[in-house]
Amino acid sequence: RVPAIFQPQVGGGPGVDLVLDPSLTDTLAGLGLRTETLAALTLVPLVEVAWADQHLDAEERKAVLRGAESVGIAEDSPGHALLRAWLEERPDPRIFEAWREFVAALCARLSIEGQLELREDLLGRAREVAEAAGGFLGVGSISRREEAVLRELDPYTISWYRFAFSAAILSVVVLPRRRRLSSVKLGRGT
């Protein structure tokens, strides 16, 4: 399931109202992104993974376009056209930095569960692109460069996000598990 934040509306904008910092808005505009192409920004991680080894093969291209379809970016939309342009020629590296700032703004609006869902979705779709090129008999299906990009994409590795993500893991995964373990130990001891 794709997080609601990635569901584009009919106009091509994100599915959740998001107030962006004016400097980020200026950066996005300077990079050629408009309201109707903003949905393409959510797929920058897939594009980054596809270009990780300096060339993009047909299977990686198909995987990125499947990602566009999965978030509802219509083939005839301006966002899809921009995405196709990024698949023909590697986008300006500043697009990736703008994406990181965009994700920071998104995470500020999401619940802890939403942040975890975002992470799972983001890394899952990016890994699908990395695995698309294959390898030989399933060996080496993800290159070292692609693995490096996947690590960069993981919100936990992004310093501005570490604290929030650590808190999310602690409250959603670790603490409830400890509580369950404690109750199991108490139940056995009595």
Side-chain angles (χ1 to χ4, degrees):
R1 192 173 140 265
V2 178
I5 197 74
F6 285 133
Q7 297 293 342
Q9 296 172 335
V10 175
V16 173
D17 290 333
L18 183 65
V19 178
L20 299 176
D21 180 272
S23 66
L24 177 55
T25 305
D26 291 344
T27 299
L28 295 174
L31 292 169
L33 288 153
R34 306 180 314 274
T35 303
E36 58 272 9
T37 59
L38 192 58
L41 186 64
T42 65
L43 297 175
V44 165
L46 281 63
V47 173
E48 276 296 306
V49 169
W51 282 107
D53 49 10
Q54 308 305 315
H55 71 280
L56 190 136
D57 72 22
E59 293 305 312
E60 289 169 320
R61 178 184 177 82
K62 288 177 191 174
V64 172
L65 294 175
R66 279 192 306 272
E69 184 180 330
S70 77
V71 296
I73 298 176
E75 252 184 84
D76 61 347
S77 71
H80 203 279
L82 180 60
L83 183 62
R84 287 191 311 268
W86 289 342
L87 296 175
E88 292 299 321
E89 185 176 325
R90 189 174 193 159
D92 185 320
R94 294 177 299 163
I95 293 284
F96 185 62
E97 290 307 314
W99 170 80
R100 289 172 76 122
E101 290 181 44
F102 180 76
V103 170
L106 283 175
C107 289
R109 299 278 313 261
L110 295 175
S111 67
I112 290 170
E113 291 80 11
Q115 292 174 24
L116 289 169
E117 184 179 341
L118 171 66
R119 178 181 187 263
E120 181 181 315
D121 178 67
L122 167 69
L123 295 177
R125 288 189 292 131
R127 186 162 290 282
E128 286 174 16
V129 172
E131 292 170 345
F136 183 70
L137 299 175
V139 176
S141 63
I142 298 179
S143 73
R144 286 184 182 166
R145 289 182 184 153
E146 289 167 332
E147 277 294 344
V149 172
L150 287 170
R151 280 190 303 276
E152 272 186 64
L153 294 174
D154 188 340
Y156 184 72
T157 64
I158 301 172
S159 60
W160 51 259
Y161 192 59
R162 268 192 200 146
F163 178 76
F165 191 75
S166 295
I169 292 295
L170 185 62
S171 66
V172 175
V173 178
V174 177
L175 290 180
R177 183 169 182 256
R178 283 190 178 163
R179 285 186 200 116
R180 284 193 305 270
L181 291 175
S182 295
S183 63
V184 168
K185 286 179 187 175
L186 290 174
R188 287 185 183 169
T190 55

